[in-house]
Amino acid sequence: MDPGSFALIAVMVFVGSALQGSIGFGAGMVAAPVIALVEPDLLPSLVVMFACLLALMVTLRERAHLDLAGAGWALVGRLPGSVLGALMVVVLPVSALSWVVAVSVVIGIGSAFLGWRPVPTRTALVTAGALSGIMGTSTSIGGAPMAVVWQGQDPSRLRGTMSAFFLVGSVTSVALLALVGSVTWHAVQVVLWLIPAVAAGFLLSRRLNRWMTVERLRVSGLVLALGGASLLVVRLLLGA
């Protein structure tokens, strides 16, 4: 990878890490579209691997605010969803899968902006977790379903719970991607070089957290999720 491409990826990882450390998700939505443009062979493994590190850091920081029961039910769906997502990487064209993901996110986020606030019941959490597993493993953008089902939560509780959920889910996704041959040594090396960017973004998020209210968190999460889907659509149209 040339220095310019690495610098661009590092900047986006820094920004994505700061956002995820503040609102509970978003690193993949910020970094994945740029990585797809400059080093597409690094997806989805690169984003999923650095998401593991970031999720661990946020989970430890917010451990006093975790909703273990909510995260547990979401993981009931995430694990089989991750298996399906890994299989999709192998058998489906990337463009077809990406269109399904993009349209699904736009519909869900659009409904949320129109006032839809699903109650985080066990069924809703399992369903959102499954969708997150499919999307996160196959495209590295898996935060949107959880943002919809957990919108309106206390900021610290949301960050901690989502991070615990993504920690287990991301580790599972990395293992499954490794089994299907999608994790390369090159991607591992890039992740190691990106650790300072992840750490710097995490530190910045502590300042952003002082500004976050419940409503600001909700709107920020939904806007970011919609933005990630829009970038995915743009990428698909440019590649058509």
Side-chain angles (χ1 to χ4, degrees):
M1 184 188 304
D2 65 88
S5 296
F6 177 80
L8 179 58
I9 291 175
V11 168
M12 300 314 296
V13 167
F14 164 73
V15 173
S17 298
L19 285 171
Q20 181 156 325
S22 183
I23 70 173
F25 78 106
M29 292 182 179
V30 172
V34 173
I35 295 171
L37 292 174
V38 298
E39 285 285 336
D41 291 342
L42 292 175
L43 288 179
S45 59
L46 175 64
V47 176
V48 179
M49 283 190 287
F50 87 73
C52 291
L53 173 61
L54 182 58
L56 175 61
M57 296 165 72
V58 179
T59 300
L60 291 174
R61 186 184 66 193
E62 307 289 356
R63 60 188 179 277
H65 307 285
L66 294 179
D67 175 9
L68 292 177
W73 282 110
L75 285 169
V76 170
R78 170 83 189 209
L79 299 179
S82 297
V83 173
L84 182 56
L87 293 175
M88 286 180 170
V89 170
V90 177
V91 301
L92 288 183
V94 174
S95 59
L97 181 60
S98 297
W99 274 115
V100 172
V101 169
V103 172
S104 300
V105 172
V106 169
I107 292 174
I109 300 301
S111 300
F113 273 120
L114 292 174
W116 180 52
R117 296 195 183 198
V119 178
T121 61
R122 291 178 180 179
T123 301
L125 289 170
V126 172
T127 302
L131 292 173
S132 178
I134 293 170
M135 295 165 60
T137 305
S138 60
T139 69
S140 73
I141 301 177
M146 307 316 303
V148 172
V149 78
W150 273 328
Q151 60 180 303
Q153 300 291 313
D154 174 76
S156 296
R157 188 179 182 87
L158 179 61
R159 286 191 296 268
T161 304
M162 288 192 75
S163 296
F165 166 77
F166 285 128
L167 175 59
V168 178
S170 296
V171 170
T172 303
S173 295
V174 170
L176 291 170
L177 289 171
L179 285 175
V180 299
S182 293
V183 176
T184 64
W185 174 240
H186 175 50
V188 173
Q189 289 177 308
V190 175
V191 167
L192 294 176
W193 281 104
L194 287 172
I195 288 176
V198 176
F202 171 77
L203 292 175
L204 176 61
S205 73
R206 302 188 63 166
R207 292 187 175 272
L208 296 177
N209 292 347
R210 301 171 187 172
W211 175 78
M212 280 295 173
T213 62
V214 171
E215 186 58 23
R216 285 173 178 171
L217 182 68
R218 174 180 177 271
V219 173
S220 299
L222 293 176
V223 168
L224 184 58
L226 184 60
S230 300
L231 287 171
L232 185 56
V233 169
V234 171
R235 191 180 84 195
L236 290 167
L237 291 175
L238 290 176

